[in-house]
Amino acid sequence: MSDANGKAPADLAARAAALDTADELGKLRDRFTLPDGVVYLDGNSLGALATGVAARIAQVITHEWGTELIQSWSAGTWWTAPERIGDKISPLIGAAPGQTVVGDSTSVNLFKALVGAARLARPGRTRMLVDAATFPTDGYIAESAARMTGLTVTPVDPSDAAGAMDEDTAVVLLNHVDYRSGRLHDLAALTAAARAAGAVTVWDLCHSAGALPVGLDEHGVDLAVGCTYKYLNGGPGSPAYLYIAARHQGAFDSPLPGWNGHAKPFAMTPDYTPAAGAVRGRVGTPDILSMLALEAALDAWDGVSVEAVRAKSLALTDFFLECVAAYVPAGRVESVTPAEHERRGSQVSLRTENARAVMDDLISRGVIGDFRAPDVLRFGFTPLYVGFADAERAARTLGHIFG
Amino acid sequence: MSDANGKAPADLAARAAALDTADELGKLRDRFTLPDGVVYLDGNSLGALATGVAARIAQVITHEWGTELIQSWSAGTWWTAPERIGDKISPLIGAAPGQTVVGDSTSVNLFKALVGAARLARPGRTRMLVDAATFPTDGYIAESAARMTGLTVTPVDPSDAAGAMDEDTAVVLLNHVDYRSGRLHDLAALTAAARAAGAVTVWDLCHSAGALPVGLDEHGVDLAVGCTYKYLNGGPGSPAYLYIAARHQGAFDSPLPGWNGHAKPFAMTPDYTPAAGAVRGRVGTPDILSMLALEAALDAWDGVSVEAVRAKSLALTDFFLECVAAYVPAGRVESVTPAEHERRGSQVSLRTENARAVMDDLISRGVIGDFRAPDVLRFGFTPLYVGFADAERAARTLGHIFG
């Protein structure tokens, strides 16, 4: 078998081995527990298990809950977990401390952010621009937030978003990376355009944080949300986060003013006085087991630069696309992920016929990606634990299926 | 030392031993892991650790997450956890299956319930009656829900609530048991009054579910919420639940229409079509570690009747009050928990001077209750793992502090 460029598979396998040997991040794989014999390219859906998480949660359950009981709330690490873990995420999204708080699901945080944005927006503006290709929950929640704040949702292709922003635009909700295609949007330029139009920006970072630099502070983003169970490896359904830029914190008016966001929660006063800082984004009692599992998982990022992760991510997706071109017969798959680096996230999405059956076949052969309706094979490249040999094997296995 | 009734401490200790011997629920304590030498009377704040939870979560982390990875979402027990665990709670709150869904915090569920209630309410009504003594988060969230649905909050003492319900009352939010005083409100009568007035009821069950019969279906409650980390022992910050009576499910219109509540979540369509049943109360991806810890904890209820729990609860609080009267010098504490059984939850709240210092002293002597501002010592009696000797020791220790 040889590809259009005349490369034999042996060349690619040797190249992969050499790339893995030279990879400075390669040793980070030891920070994770992965099953033997599996190529895991679905870390953009559920990140792998970091070492240390199981032992930490065993300690939390047996000692902090079972033995220390209620005293873990008053004297332990529990109460401040949302802001402490938020600050552990901050460097990954380019945020100075004190602007990020962890808790609730992405959908719930998006509701806080969008209603908060509508209340920060200039009076009289009526439109909420929303990425038309967004992950569905963002669109559903945007409709609800708009309905409850008197705005109207206008779906927009992110390519056209800058042009659509005008003096009637109150809020702009965009995804940094599109969940289906893996397309990376220009956060800096789109945020600048929104600011020029006087609109408040809300960015969804679910598919970018932990895979590439975000630069929330640098680019002047107003509000952002993201999940932690993809590239941040927090575990199934681990709590999401909310970023509130420091300049907006005093005026941020949450639709979910739970007692955890109160300035003096244990005073238990009937009137709500929001806490200073991002803490006002808290709502109810944080789910400690999921929260502290995330905290332990974030230890895998110790000493890791997001820039190095981005460089490896691009090298991995470049190499995977090269291997797919070499191994898969022409015409059987089509990449819907942009080829240009500046428009590519950390995944490769291939359109093909019978995509669901093809993915099932791949999984049965030990290559785990996922299927997204109606016709997309999605392969996520998580540089902390995926290597070049994984990319080569995945493409080679795909070639066998079409061979 | 003897009390006003002439009982010597030895009598009470012997009585406690006899009561524990005769207690049919006494053996349930083996279903929990409690530290040696401690009397734990704060299970109404954080329930104790049930045996089985640590092993279950270790399996979830190591096997389901670490090894099975994404396949646990498609093939495992994760996706249906919210409704499955909801149905495991249902018998404890008197709900037929299919009406209860677990996830999010109590505050978030309360927002869904109150906005949902406002949208179910008769057109033109403007008032939301809210328990004036409620746990603060309920009041804060009620203000937000009212603001966003065009209603006005009217605080009301639950004693006066029935009289305050009129043709302008849209929604009524009440607590089944008051968190501070332990006062039990008449859910049946107040729900009937609300129905007669044409108002929609939302009950907060945080301090009653798992301690006494609730009877949501029997009494015709419309909507209810509750936490799971008190009498249900789900663990720190374990997810809360939302009850939507079957008759309202078709019209229940959530302000948080996340993708998990969609009729076909994986179709990923841009339009939101709510799922049938209580599932439409779901929002984002459930936090699996906290969720499955709760599920394992609920095994402690196997074969337990809520009526038997209630009988023991009343016997425990009666006996504790008797011991307090015997051991504590007259005038040093005053019970703010109603003496009548039909008005008492499963806690005893004693008002005293320097309540915070007294509670700290008690805790240092191995009796763990809690302090609620400004002057309340709160003792929760959780019949699954608290016995009569615990009640006697707690009162005796309190007597020593005042002796």
Side-chain angles (χ1 to χ4, degrees):
Chain A
M1 189 192 290
S2 67
D3 78 319
N5 300 319
K7 280 200 193 98
D11 293 342
L12 291 168
R15 281 260 311 288
L19 287 164
D20 279 329
T21 301
D23 174 20
E24 291 189 358
L25 301 185
K27 62 185 184 303
L28 297 177
R29 187 181 172 110
D30 293 342
R31 297 184 180 182
F32 294 86
T33 305
L34 284 158
D36 291 335
V38 164
V39 172
Y40 191 59
L41 302 181
D42 210 4
N44 55 333
S45 186
L46 174 65
L49 171 63
T51 60
V53 171
R56 173 68 182 128
I57 295 306
Q59 180 199 36
V60 171
I61 292 176
T62 304
H63 180 72
E64 297 185 12
W65 173 13
T67 304
E68 296 298 311
L69 288 158
I70 192 68
Q71 294 167 91
S72 290
W73 274 121
S74 51
T77 63
W78 293 0
W79 182 261
T80 55
E83 50 269 28
R84 183 178 71 246
I85 303 172
D87 278 346
K88 202 164 175 177
I89 291 170
S90 291
L92 302 176
I93 55 177
Q99 301 175 103
T100 309
V101 68
V102 171
D104 305 310
S105 65
T106 305
S107 299
V108 170
N109 280 299
L110 197 58
F111 185 76
K112 297 178 212 170
L114 290 172
V115 172
R119 291 172 176 172
L120 289 168
R122 299 192 186 174
R125 295 188 174 215
T126 69
R127 287 201 306 154
M128 183 184 287
L129 287 191
V130 177
D131 180 349
T134 190
F135 185 76
T137 212
D138 293 42
Y140 308 154
I141 294 291
E143 281 289 354
S144 177
R147 168 187 177 188
M148 297 185 80
T149 55
L151 300 183
T152 304
V153 168
T154 303
V156 63
D157 185 305
S159 306
D160 307 326
M165 297 171 194
D166 61 19
E167 67 287 348
D168 192 31
T169 306
V171 175
V172 178
L173 168 63
L174 294 168
N175 294 281
H176 198 189
V177 171
D178 183 85
Y179 80 101
R180 186 185 266 123
S181 67
R183 182 173 150 202
L184 169 66
H185 299 299
D186 190 339
L187 181 142
L190 287 162
T191 302
R195 197 167 47 238
V200 181
T201 46
V202 179
W203 281 94
D204 180 332
L205 310 176
C206 285
H207 286 273
S208 64
L212 48 89
V214 177
L216 293 179
D217 286 350
E218 177 188 353
H219 302 305
V221 167
D222 298 307
L223 300 158
V225 302
C227 79
T228 63
Y229 45 75
K230 301 181 190 291
Y231 296 100
L232 303 186
N233 311 301
S238 56
Y241 57 88
L242 170 67
Y243 163 90
I244 310 172
R247 67 187 172 282
H248 291 310
Q249 289 172 357
F252 183 77
D253 182 6
S254 174
L256 292 168
W259 73 297
N260 272 230
H262 195 283
K264 295 184 177 178
F266 290 97
M268 301 199 173
T269 59
D271 295 323
Y272 185 76
T273 307
V279 172
R280 70 173 58 191
R282 289 177 62 165
V283 186
T285 305
D287 50 334
I288 291 301
L289 302 188
S290 296
M291 190 83 68
L292 299 189
L294 165 62
E295 185 173 36
L298 289 168
D299 286 345
W301 289 91
D302 282 356
V304 177
S305 110
V306 179
E307 288 70 23
V309 165
R310 174 60 170 165
K312 179 175 173 183
S313 161
L314 288 170
L316 279 169
T317 50
D318 276 346
F319 185 65
F320 178 68
L321 286 165
E322 182 182 343
C323 291
V324 167
Y327 290 132
V328 177
R332 301 303 298 271
V333 299
E334 173 202 8
S335 174
V336 295
T337 302
E340 314 93 289
H341 283 181
E342 65 274 18
R343 294 180 59 222
R344 188 196 306 163
S346 197
Q347 74 186 55
V348 172
S349 295
L350 303 177
R351 186 176 289 150
T352 190
E353 288 181 14
N354 303 316
R356 187 189 287 274
V358 171
M359 184 49 70
D360 288 346
D361 195 350
L362 269 173
I363 290 171
S364 75
R365 296 172 192 233
V367 175
I368 303 178
D370 65 21
F371 161 76
R372 281 294 174 265
D375 58 1
V376 166
L377 304 173
R378 205 173 64 151
F379 302 93
F381 291 85
T382 48
L384 264 50
Y385 54 80
V386 167
F388 295 88
D390 294 323
E392 190 271 341
R393 180 178 150 198
R396 180 158 38 87
T397 307
L398 191 60
H400 288 157
I401 289 173
F402 287 114
Chain B
M1 186 191 292
S2 66
D3 77 319
N5 300 317
K7 280 198 194 103
D11 293 343
L12 291 168
R15 281 260 311 287
L19 286 164
D20 279 330
T21 302
D23 174 19
E24 290 189 359
L25 301 185
K27 61 186 185 302
L28 297 177
R29 189 181 171 110
D30 293 343
R31 298 185 180 181
F32 294 87
T33 306
L34 284 158
D36 291 336
V38 163
V39 171
Y40 191 59
L41 302 182
D42 210 5
N44 54 334
S45 186
L46 174 64
L49 171 62
T51 60
V53 171
R56 173 68 183 127
I57 295 307
Q59 178 198 38
V60 170
I61 292 176
T62 305
H63 180 72
E64 297 184 12
W65 173 13
T67 304
E68 296 297 311
L69 288 158
I70 193 67
Q71 294 166 91
S72 290
W73 274 122
S74 50
T77 62
W78 293 0
W79 181 262
T80 55
E83 52 268 27
R84 182 178 71 246
I85 303 171
D87 278 345
K88 202 164 174 176
I89 291 171
S90 291
L92 301 177
I93 55 177
Q99 301 176 103
T100 309
V101 67
V102 171
D104 305 310
S105 65
T106 305
S107 299
V108 170
N109 280 299
L110 197 58
F111 186 75
K112 297 178 212 171
L114 289 172
V115 172
R119 292 173 176 172
L120 288 169
R122 299 191 187 172
R125 295 187 173 214
T126 69
R127 288 199 307 152
M128 183 184 287
L129 286 192
V130 176
D131 180 347
T134 190
F135 186 76
T137 213
D138 293 42
Y140 308 154
I141 294 290
E143 281 290 353
S144 176
R147 167 186 177 187
M148 298 185 79
T149 54
L151 300 184
T152 304
V153 167
T154 302
V156 63
D157 185 305
S159 306
D160 307 325
M165 297 172 193
D166 61 19
E167 67 286 352
D168 193 31
T169 306
V171 175
V172 178
L173 168 63
L174 294 167
N175 294 279
H176 197 189
V177 171
D178 183 84
Y179 80 102
R180 187 185 265 122
S181 67
R183 182 173 149 201
L184 169 66
H185 299 299
D186 189 339
L187 182 142
L190 287 162
T191 302
R195 196 166 48 238
V200 181
T201 47
V202 180
W203 281 93
D204 181 331
L205 308 177
C206 284
H207 286 273
S208 65
L212 48 88
V214 176
L216 293 179
D217 286 350
E218 178 188 353
H219 302 305
V221 167
D222 297 309
L223 299 159
V225 303
C227 80
T228 63
Y229 46 74
K230 300 181 191 293
Y231 297 99
L232 303 186
N233 312 300
S238 56
Y241 57 87
L242 171 66
Y243 163 90
I244 310 171
R247 66 187 173 282
H248 291 309
Q249 289 172 355
F252 184 77
D253 182 6
S254 174
L256 293 168
W259 73 297
N260 272 229
H262 195 283
K264 293 185 177 176
F266 291 97
M268 301 198 173
T269 58
D271 296 323
Y272 185 75
T273 306
V279 171
R280 71 173 56 189
R282 290 178 60 165
V283 186
T285 304
D287 50 334
I288 291 300
L289 301 189
S290 295
M291 190 83 70
L292 300 190
L294 165 62
E295 185 174 35
L298 289 169
D299 285 346
W301 289 91
D302 282 354
V304 177
S305 112
V306 179
E307 287 71 21
V309 165
R310 174 61 170 165
K312 179 175 174 184
S313 161
L314 288 170
L316 279 169
T317 50
D318 276 345
F319 186 65
F320 178 69
L321 286 165
E322 181 182 343
C323 292
V324 167
Y327 290 131
V328 177
R332 302 304 297 271
V333 301
E334 174 202 8
S335 174
V336 296
T337 303
E340 314 93 290
H341 284 182
E342 63 274 18
R343 294 180 58 219
R344 189 195 306 163
S346 197
Q347 75 187 54
V348 172
S349 294
L350 302 176
R351 186 176 290 151
T352 190
E353 287 181 16
N354 303 315
R356 187 189 289 274
V358 170
M359 184 49 71
D360 288 347
D361 196 350
L362 269 175
I363 291 171
S364 75
R365 297 171 191 234
V367 175
I368 303 178
D370 64 21
F371 161 77
R372 282 293 174 264
D375 59 0
V376 166
L377 304 172
R378 205 173 64 151
F379 302 93
F381 291 85
T382 47
L384 265 50
Y385 53 81
V386 168
F388 294 88
D390 295 322
E392 191 272 342
R393 181 178 149 196
R396 181 160 37 88
T397 307
L398 191 60
H400 288 157
I401 290 173
F402 287 114

